Amino acid sequence: PKVEYAIGYGSGVIPQASRDVNNDRDKQIENNNEGEEEKLPSGMKDFIFVVRDAEEWHNENLKLNNDHYSFLSYFGPKTVSNVQRNYGAKIYYNTLVNVLDEEVKYGVITQKDFEDDLNHWETFYVSGRLQKPFALIDTDENVEEKMEKFNRKNLNAALAASLLLLRSDPNKKHQFSASDLWEQVTSLSYMGDFRMKVGENPNKIKNIANNNSHAQFLRLYQPSINEIQVLHFKDPLFEQSTDPKSRQQLIQFLPD
């Protein structure tokens, strides 16, 4: 069925340099010396589909891909839509879906709920995923422009929150590396996530924000850096202004 935006995210879509940054560092250096970049196995590919009307979309998708759904499919598209809109993060996932011999997980969210989360961090689920490098599947120029418009407030807020948090660390208050900044940005969406304590790779944040990702993060956040105007790059470090005025400026970029 038609979607407004199709977004790919996670390690299956955006490669990470290593599963374990600390234990694999020597191996990674060796591979880099040989001109090879070590990447994670592709694994499951994660997608978010933004749709205008949840019930209509599920109605059509159930006709085409009924096998993608759990037992909820027996109750029809209205029930699936109600579960999506009224529980959790307002996104409904179909998991372990086989598409062209690829294992796929896709979540469906309405455009209204999508925009509300980006603007106000209502659930911080979709907004958290779009604070890290992602892939817009449809590269039509109009789609890219709209996504930039919708997501910019979210990225501004993520950068502002990260800079405020870095100020609380006396070792990183004024100067910090690109890795420090991107790790802080990445960690926002994992704060309070119990999976980081049980079962999840303890180096997941470092893997996402590794040095090989610097260009992707910078491409995503350069407009926010320009707009917020408290952060400066002095190779190889970032510096941020720490006067009260700049602190107030950062607070103004946080969600309502």
Side-chain angles (χ1 to χ4, degrees), residues 35-239:
E36 300 175 359
E37 181 180 352
E38 183 186 356
K39 296 180 180 179
L40 282 176
S42 58
M44 182 182 291
K45 289 180 167 52
D46 298 334
F47 298 95
I48 294 171
F49 296 155
V50 182
V51 305
R52 287 190 180 276
D53 185 287
E55 186 173 343
E56 287 184 8
W57 195 92
H58 287 299
N59 183 47
E60 187 174 350
N61 199 41
L62 280 164
K63 293 175 182 177
L64 297 171
N65 303 299
N66 185 272
D67 58 323
H68 290 185
Y69 288 78
S70 68
F71 69 93
L72 281 179
S73 64
Y74 294 105
F75 299 98
K78 186 172 183 179
T79 296
V80 175
S81 174
N82 285 338
V83 169
Q84 173 186 319
R85 297 296 309 282
N86 297 312
Y87 297 93
K90 299 184 178 181
I91 185 168
Y92 181 88
Y93 271 96
N94 284 325
T95 63
L96 302 176
V97 176
N98 187 281
V99 178
L100 300 176
D101 294 326
E102 296 269 15
E103 197 170 72
V104 169
K105 175 179 73 178
Y106 64 88
V108 181
I109 187 170
T110 66
Q111 186 164 338
K112 180 184 183 305
D113 293 334
F114 176 74
E115 292 178 19
D116 284 346
D117 199 46
L118 292 184
N119 288 327
H120 307 295
W121 289 3
E122 287 199 353
T123 68
F124 206 56
Y125 188 87
V126 171
S127 52
R129 277 145 185 77
L130 267 64
Q131 289 167 2
K132 301 179 283 291
F134 62 90
L136 196 58
I137 305 306
D138 187 341
T139 56
D140 178 85
E141 185 175 341
N142 291 332
V143 171
E144 289 185 346
E145 288 179 0
K146 288 180 181 178
M147 179 59 68
E148 163 63 23
K149 178 182 177 182
F150 291 143
N151 199 32
R152 183 50 51 196
K153 186 174 182 179
N154 176 40
L155 296 177
N156 287 350
L159 181 62
S162 297
L163 292 175
L164 287 168
L165 288 168
L166 284 169
R167 282 171 173 241
S168 66
D169 185 336
N171 296 320
K172 301 174 183 177
K173 182 176 180 179
H174 181 62
Q175 284 189 335
F176 40 85
S177 68
S179 293
D180 291 330
L181 177 58
W182 307 138
E183 283 179 26
Q184 184 63 70
V185 168
T186 300
S187 71
L188 293 177
S189 59
Y190 294 108
M191 290 180 174
D193 190 337
F194 75 92
R195 296 175 303 169
M196 297 304 292
K197 301 292 184 182
V198 181
E200 188 60 85
N201 181 353
N203 289 311
K204 183 170 186 175
I205 292 172
K206 289 184 179 294
N207 290 348
I208 294 172
N210 71 82
N211 290 333
N212 293 332
S213 301
H214 173 64
Q216 293 176 316
F217 273 99
L218 192 60
R219 190 180 309 116
L220 198 59
Y221 281 94
Q222 188 64 63
S224 296
I225 292 172
N226 296 342
E227 186 172 349
I228 292 177
Q229 296 184 336
V230 302
L231 188 63
H232 312 281
F233 185 64
K234 294 188 176 181
D235 195 15
L237 297 174
F238 279 106
E239 291 186 357

